[in-house]
Amino acid sequence: QVQLVESGGGTVQAGGSLTLSCEFSGFQTDDYVIAWFRQAPGKEREGLGCLASKPSKSQTTFIAEFVKGRVTFTENLAKNPVILRMSPMNSGDTATYYCASSFYFGRRCLDQRYVAKWGKGSLVTVTS
């Protein structure tokens, strides 16, 4: 069984940086995708991007347009845990952040309908 566990959440100062980790285990194949999502209070869950264990058209990471330039991921899933870094943080980034396994890599990995397994989430609160 696949298991994913987020850690590193808590309070982050506006203008500062966020670092989250996702420990994963239990994949039955060497071809898999790990995705990051977040959900702010009163809003829909948003896909941030994903990482693939094997290249797709020479790419191993895919990042949503709305966070491009602020978010980076571990680019090689040979390293565990996966690391998400986000900077600079602002008040709109307050949310629960999730890692998950996805059936797809690329734009579809931003869609929660294609998630196979969820982590339990890590709350991030941005303060001024």
Side-chain angles (χ1 to χ4, degrees):
Q1 59 183 19
V2 175
Q3 184 176 9
L4 307 104
V5 181
E6 306 92 341
S7 62
T11 300
V12 180
Q13 188 80 7
S17 299
L18 172 69
T19 302
L20 295 175
S21 65
C22 176
E23 294 270 3
F24 62 91
S25 62
F27 288 106
Q28 301 299 304
T29 175
D30 62 358
D31 186 3
Y32 52 87
V33 174
I34 294 177
W36 286 93
F37 294 81
R38 72 179 188 183
Q39 188 164 23
K43 294 187 176 181
E44 296 184 356
R45 193 163 297 185
E46 300 175 302
L48 304 177
C50 55
L51 307 86
S53 62
K54 293 185 176 181
S56 178
K57 299 181 179 179
S58 301
Q59 303 296 315
T60 57
T61 62
F62 180 87
I63 300 176
E65 289 291 334
F66 82 101
V67 291
K68 191 170 294 183
R70 294 203 296 145
V71 166
T72 61
F73 302 140
T74 302
E75 299 200 8
N76 188 342
L77 286 184
K79 294 186 176 181
N80 188 4
V82 173
I83 304 298
L84 176 153
R85 303 184 194 278
M86 187 172 185
S87 179
M89 298 289 286
N90 59 61
S91 62
D93 297 320
T94 292
T96 299
Y97 287 72
Y98 301 87
C99 63
S101 64
S102 178
F103 291 114
Y104 295 99
F105 177 79
R107 185 165 298 278
R108 287 182 179 178
C109 84
L110 306 178
D111 191 332
Q112 63 178 318
R113 294 178 296 176
Y114 302 127
V115 167
K117 183 73 174 181
W118 292 98
K120 293 184 178 181
S122 183
L123 178 62
V124 176
T125 301
V126 181
T127 63
S128 301

